Amino acid sequence: MTTATAGGADAVPPADKRLPERSERPVQPRPRRSVTGTRKIVATAFLLPALVLLGALVLYPIGYSVYRSFFDQSGTGFAGVDNYKALFTDDTIRTAVKNNAIWVVFAPTISTALGLIFAVLTERIRWGTAFKLIVFMPMAISMLAAGIIFRLVYDQAPERGVANAVWVGVHDTFAESAGYPKAHPLPVHPLKAGGGGSFVTKVPVRAGEPVQLPLVGVAPAKMPTDAKPAKAATAQSGKVAGTAWLDFTKGGGGKPNVIDTKELGLKGLEVEAVRNGKVVASAKAAADGTFTLPASADGALLRLPASNFKEPYNGVDWLGPTLVTPGIIGSYVWMWAGFAMVLIAAGLAGLPRELLEAARVDGANEWQVFRRITVPMLAPVLAVVLVTLMINVLKIFDLVFIIAPGSSQDDANVLALQLYRSSFGTDADLGIGSAIAVLLLLLVIPVMIFNIRRMRREGRR
């Protein structure tokens, strides 16, 4: 039997000289400390006041509103879901829900689109910064002030409302307006009421005999600027001639049915010859009030149709039931388009210019560059603007409350305004008001969740 040499490779040390084996127990990790070295209990102590305020100012009101929405107007009787049923059965509240939907769809979309257009168009012009400042300036105005401004802008009277002043000016440029809305004859005049707002002569007229058609009731300041002093008509053989004038002498001294030197002709006044209920001839008075009718007018009655005396065009009823909501949305866009423009312009400044130039070099026109490159690359910024404005319009209140007059406030009603009216109006019902508040919260939550997910996706990039 052979034995291994002392220095051989197969030599095994004696058992009593072997190294002790290490223990197989896992190493316990050290407790993790915060980055700043602050202990959790200390951090909790510092966060506690903020958590208390959050609970007192946010969580408690939300919880109490949900609780109160299940009780009746007095707060003593359990109403179940009756208050929530009223949200979809009451006509006033349904109008508010419908208007809120219109606001959410149109106001953020129009504001964002205008902001995008302004940001792109002003990027290359020299005075773009000044233009952006002007567009952004309404953001410095409070909602209260903006509401007062647009209440005056939308005033029905053209002399006060800017919108109607412009609209009436454009209308009168292309359409002739009535000249004498309040003109009428005196009892001593040879005219009488003809029905429907018209006036007719008391006796038939004869060819070759001048006819006088005096009227009163027109303020001298309202007369046409190119009206001339009235002139007595000259008798014409076989024709009916006459004069239509304002039988009023400024300062007094004139005589009825007599053309005085200071009296003006009713320029443009339409005169019709009527026989057996049919118009056989017509004419318009000249600047001096004279007119001439053909021989067919002989023996007929002269009629001044009602079209001479209708009220002048007074513009559009911007604050009426039909246009009040679009009008208020217009005031909101005026304020918030500048906000959208500034954010989009900041995103536009960060776009890689070499990519845009490469597209132009490849033959893309400006519309293709805008539609296929600029807008897709600005999608995150556009989403931020759109979501922010959607949350903002869901709680719109002050513009509607100030701009809409009492006669059309029900037609412009929104949920936030209805919440105020239901909770603090003359017939307050806190159950209904709390249900509206909960509905508003439920409408905002999906938008907030979308915004949070979008921000997380952006953070992971």
Side-chain angles (χ1 to χ4, degrees):
M1 183 175 179
T2 61
T3 59
T5 60
D10 295 332
V12 178
D16 55 348
K17 293 184 178 182
R18 295 178 183 175
L19 295 174
E21 296 181 359
R22 291 185 176 181
S23 175
E24 299 293 334
R25 290 180 300 175
V27 178
Q28 296 293 331
R30 293 182 179 182
R32 179 177 297 178
R33 298 170 65 91
S34 66
V35 176
T36 59
T38 306
R39 295 185 179 182
K40 292 181 179 180
I41 188 170
V42 177
T44 304
F46 277 100
L47 289 175
L48 187 59
L51 294 175
V52 171
L53 287 175
L54 180 66
L57 300 179
V58 178
L59 298 181
Y60 172 75
I62 292 175
Y64 183 76
S65 296
V66 174
Y67 168 79
R68 185 64 178 83
S69 66
F70 292 103
F71 287 83
D72 58 10
Q73 182 175 6
S74 62
T76 57
F78 184 74
V81 296
D82 291 345
N83 292 328
Y84 291 95
K85 290 180 180 179
L87 300 183
F88 303 99
T89 56
D90 185 86
D91 291 338
T92 303
I93 301 178
R94 283 196 300 178
T95 300
V97 174
K98 180 192 71 174
N99 287 338
N100 256 105
I102 295 173
W103 272 89
V104 170
V105 172
F106 290 99
T109 305
I110 297 174
S111 300
T112 304
L114 285 178
L116 176 61
I117 293 172
F118 290 156
V120 172
L121 292 182
T122 58
E123 187 185 17
R124 300 182 181 180
I125 58 178
R126 182 177 302 176
W127 45 271
T129 303
F131 179 82
K132 291 177 183 177
L133 179 63
I134 294 173
V135 175
F136 185 75
M137 195 176 295
M139 283 294 299
I141 303 175
S142 67
M143 287 283 195
L144 173 63
I148 295 173
I149 290 171
F150 275 87
R151 181 66 180 268
L152 296 176
V153 168
Y154 291 138
D155 198 293
Q156 179 67 24
E159 61 270 15
R160 294 193 300 271
V162 176
N164 264 337
V166 174
W167 192 269
V168 170
V170 174
H171 174 274
D172 291 347
T173 301
F174 298 98
E176 185 177 359
S177 58
Y180 313 101
K182 295 182 180 180
H184 62 276
L186 292 175
V188 297
H189 286 162
L191 291 167
K192 64 179 181 179
S198 64
F199 299 103
V200 297
T201 53
K202 296 176 181 178
V203 296
V205 296
R206 295 297 177 186
E209 298 179 3
V211 182
Q212 294 184 339
L213 302 178
L215 293 173
V216 294
V218 183
K222 299 292 185 180
M223 290 290 290
T225 56
D226 54 349
K228 296 180 180 180
K231 178 182 176 182
T234 304
Q236 300 183 32
S237 177
K239 295 183 179 180
V240 176
T243 304
W245 82 99
L246 179 64
D247 194 13
F248 172 79
T249 303
K250 189 176 181 179
K255 297 181 180 179
N257 294 325
V258 176
I259 300 176
D260 297 310
T261 56
K262 295 183 180 180
E263 295 174 348
L264 299 176
L266 297 174
K267 180 187 177 182
L269 190 76
E270 187 175 0
V271 182
E272 296 176 342
V274 181
R275 181 183 290 110
N276 298 326
K278 296 182 179 180
V279 178
V280 295
S282 64
K284 284 190 176 182
D288 57 3
T290 59
F291 62 89
T292 303
L293 294 169
S296 57
D298 183 32
L301 293 175
L302 296 189
R303 180 175 66 185
L304 304 180
S307 58
N308 291 312
F309 313 108
K310 67 179 180 180
E311 290 294 330
Y313 182 70
N314 204 31
V316 178
D317 189 8
W318 298 103
L319 299 180
T322 305
L323 296 177
V324 61
T325 295
I328 301 175
I329 291 177
S331 67
Y332 179 89
V333 171
W334 176 76
M335 289 192 66
W336 288 89
F339 167 81
M341 178 196 65
V342 170
L343 291 187
I344 296 172
L348 193 62
L351 294 184
R353 300 298 167 179
E354 59 273 10
L355 185 60
L356 302 178
E357 293 301 328
R360 294 187 180 100
V361 170
D362 289 341
N365 56 37
E366 291 300 325
W367 169 246
Q368 290 173 329
V369 172
F370 173 77
R371 184 167 58 92
R372 297 181 178 273
I373 298 178
T374 304
V375 172
M377 295 186 69
L378 285 175
V381 179
L382 296 176
V384 170
V385 175
L386 198 60
V387 170
T388 303
L389 295 181
M390 287 177 66
I391 296 174
N392 187 268
V393 300
L394 280 172
K395 55 184 182 180
I396 193 70
F397 164 77
D398 23 24
L399 283 180
V400 180
F401 183 73
I402 297 168
I403 296 178
S407 58
S408 59
Q409 199 167 85
D410 286 341
D411 300 285
N413 199 14
V414 290
L415 285 173
L417 177 59
Q418 185 60 38
L419 169 61
Y420 169 79
R421 295 167 69 178
S422 297
S423 301
F424 306 105
T426 54
D427 191 20
D429 188 340
L430 291 180
I432 295 291
S434 299
I436 296 174
V438 174
L439 177 62
L440 274 174
L441 177 64
L442 295 177
L443 292 175
V444 171
I445 285 176
V447 183
M448 293 177 61
I449 292 176
F450 170 80
N451 203 25
I452 291 172
R453 289 183 176 178
R454 184 198 55 78
M455 288 189 294
R456 287 179 177 176
R457 287 197 303 266
E458 292 294 324
R460 288 196 295 265
R461 292 181 180 178

